[in-house]
Amino acid sequence: MFAVFAVPRQLTAVARRVLVSTLEAVEAVPKIAAALDDVRATLKHSERLATFAAGELPEIVYQLEEIKARLEKLEISGTRPDRVS
């Protein structure tokens, strides 16, 4: 006789689990949206940083070449860097 009540009880339990899972998913949507906004902002900032680095790289290379040329001159002339005025 109690077997008759088992099916509705199981259906109620399944429906409850589905409802709870759905509510949890709906509650997670704003968190997911906020995380995506953070990712977009980070990507935009990374893109600006990469653009800046790409623009500055030739200048850095030029400056390093100048330093290298000065050091080579010092080595050739036999002067130590700590004695140069």
Side-chain angles (χ1 to χ4, degrees), residues 1-48:
M1 178 163 170
F2 290 112
V4 174
F5 297 115
V7 173
R9 192 174 16 202
Q10 289 174 348
L11 289 176
T12 304
V14 169
R16 183 179 177 278
R17 279 185 273 165
V18 168
L19 181 62
V20 168
S21 297
T22 302
L23 289 175
E24 289 174 352
V26 168
E27 288 174 353
V29 169
K31 294 176 186 176
I32 293 170
L36 285 175
D37 285 342
D38 289 346
V39 168
R40 279 192 207 109
T42 301
L43 287 174
K44 185 180 275 189
H45 185 69
S46 297
E47 183 180 0
R48 287 187 307 208

Side-chain angles (χ1 to χ4, degrees), residues 31-80:
K31 294 176 186 176
I32 293 170
L36 285 175
D37 285 342
D38 289 346
V39 168
R40 279 192 207 109
T42 301
L43 287 174
K44 185 180 275 189
H45 185 69
S46 297
E47 183 180 0
R48 287 187 307 208
L49 185 60
T51 301
F52 172 77
E56 291 297 316
L57 190 59
E59 178 64 25
I60 293 169
V61 170
Y62 172 75
Q63 290 177 3
L64 288 173
E65 288 173 350
E66 286 291 316
I67 292 170
K68 180 182 174 188
R70 288 182 186 175
L71 288 174
E72 287 174 350
K73 278 184 184 178
L74 290 173
E75 287 177 355
I76 291 171
S77 68
T79 308
R80 291 180 44 191

